[in-house]
Amino acid sequence: DDITAPEALSRSMIADSIFSGLSEPARPLSCENASDRVDRLERTILGLKARYWALQLKKGLDLSRLKENPGSTITDPRLKSRFYALLDSWYRQAAIPSLSEREVRRFVDIDRQAYRLYHDCNI
């Protein structure tokens, strides 16, 4: 699963896809238990998300240039803490493998769902 992703799957492509305001037509969204649902979604990709952002930081990404902090949609304090611990652990590695194409698709799809739910439900 740690196959290097093609260079065409750049950080900006992924970040733009995740944080672009989601251009596809919006379906009605239920906000019942929204914060729990966001955290359940985030939990399924926590390792991928931490590895992805650690790699971007290693490549010189300045987090202050992002519209949103990568962990901002995680509402559970323990889950958020685990995300940042994983990110730190990956960042400290000498080499961080890029996400495979399949991992990128999974990450983007699930993080997009969490992001939309988080923002549309004003969590």
Side-chain angles (χ1 to χ4, degrees), residues 17-61:
S17 177
I18 293 168
F19 301 118
S20 68
L22 311 172
S23 59
E24 63 240 13
R27 296 183 308 266
L29 185 67
S30 166
C31 291
E32 185 175 344
N33 301 317
S35 106
D36 289 339
R37 290 169 41 212
V38 167
D39 288 338
R40 275 195 306 272
L41 288 165
E42 293 287 4
R43 191 173 286 112
T44 68
I45 58 166
L46 205 64
L48 293 176
K49 186 172 184 157
R51 191 171 98 213
Y52 171 78
W53 289 109
L55 181 58
Q56 300 317 307
L57 291 170
K58 276 276 198 196
K59 290 179 177 180
L61 173 69

Side-chain angles (χ1 to χ4, degrees), residues 98-112:
S98 296
L99 274 62
S100 70
E101 194 171 336
R102 188 181 87 225
E103 289 172 323
V104 167
R105 281 192 301 269
R106 182 168 184 259
F107 170 53
V108 169
D109 179 54
I110 293 172
D111 210 40
R112 177 182 289 165

